[in-house]
Amino acid sequence: MPTPGAVPPPALRPPADGECQFCGSHPAAHVSFQSMTSIVILYVVSAQRGWMCRNCGLSLYRHHANKTMLAAWWGVGIIGIPIFLGIDRLRLRRILRLAPPQPTPGVAASLPAPLDPGKPLIQRPGAILSIVLVTVLVLVIGCGALAFGASE
């Protein structure tokens, strides 16, 4: 039974526009990040859309870019790798312009704090695999061109 004169705790509300849908922090921008998985002639595009703070947005960008660089090489999706990475990089600019996230009192979010952005993209397995595959591809094409030129 509540004591007389006691103030009830404020009701928690879901994150609103301008607040991160994951951690409830502000400021946030409405963005979308996509990734692609490709196997032979099939491909699947997955997307994450919504209001994101700087940390959560950077974390999701890195996750989706890494996933694309790991999983799009194995089929027709190879054509879309630079397109997906380029578009998501342009979208990331909106996130990087935001101030560091500040908690918003009274917001019930799914996470207690912003996501950790983690390792830079260049240090993730997808980037390392992509660098190796592009290097091998350039060497194979270069050696083939040299061999074709020498046979003439």
Side-chain angles (χ1 to χ4, degrees), residues 36-44 71-78:
M36 178 177 34
T37 303
S38 176
I39 303 170
V40 188
I41 60 170
L42 302 173
Y43 67 95
V44 176
W73 287 98
W74 317 116
V76 297
I78 194 169

Side-chain angles (χ1 to χ4, degrees), residues 1 19 21 23 28-29 33 37 41 44 50 60-61 64 72 78 81 91 93 101 106 122 139 143:
M1 186 161 221
E19 298 170 341
Q21 69 184 16
C23 67
F33 295 117
T37 303
I41 60 170
V44 176
L60 287 169
Y61 163 76
H64 283 280
I78 194 169
I81 293 172
R91 292 174 177 160
R93 293 186 315 174
I122 195 71
L139 287 174
C143 290

Side-chain angles (χ1 to χ4, degrees), residues 15-82:
D17 290 354
E19 298 170 341
C20 181
Q21 69 184 16
F22 301 105
C23 67
S25 297
H26 68 279
H30 194 274
V31 292
S32 172
F33 295 117
Q34 297 178 318
S35 59
M36 178 177 34
T37 303
S38 176
I39 303 170
V40 188
I41 60 170
L42 302 173
Y43 67 95
V44 176
V45 176
S46 57
Q48 189 110 36
R49 294 178 184 85
W51 289 93
M52 298 176 208
C53 67
R54 181 181 176 98
N55 287 16
C56 292
L58 183 56
S59 177
L60 287 169
Y61 163 76
R62 289 177 176 174
H63 168 77
H64 283 280
N66 184 59
K67 184 177 174 184
T68 296
M69 289 189 288
L70 277 173
W73 287 98
W74 317 116
V76 297
I78 194 169
I79 298 165
I81 293 172

Side-chain angles (χ1 to χ4, degrees), residues 60-121:
L60 287 169
Y61 163 76
R62 289 177 176 174
H63 168 77
H64 283 280
N66 184 59
K67 184 177 174 184
T68 296
M69 289 189 288
L70 277 173
W73 287 98
W74 317 116
V76 297
I78 194 169
I79 298 165
I81 293 172
I83 297 167
F84 276 76
L85 294 177
I87 290 171
D88 276 357
R89 182 64 179 101
L90 290 173
R91 292 174 177 160
L92 180 65
R93 293 186 315 174
R94 293 187 66 209
I95 292 293
L96 294 178
R97 282 190 224 126
L98 295 173
Q102 302 295 320
T104 306
V107 172
S110 56
L111 299 175
L115 290 169
D116 177 16
K119 292 180 185 177
L121 192 55

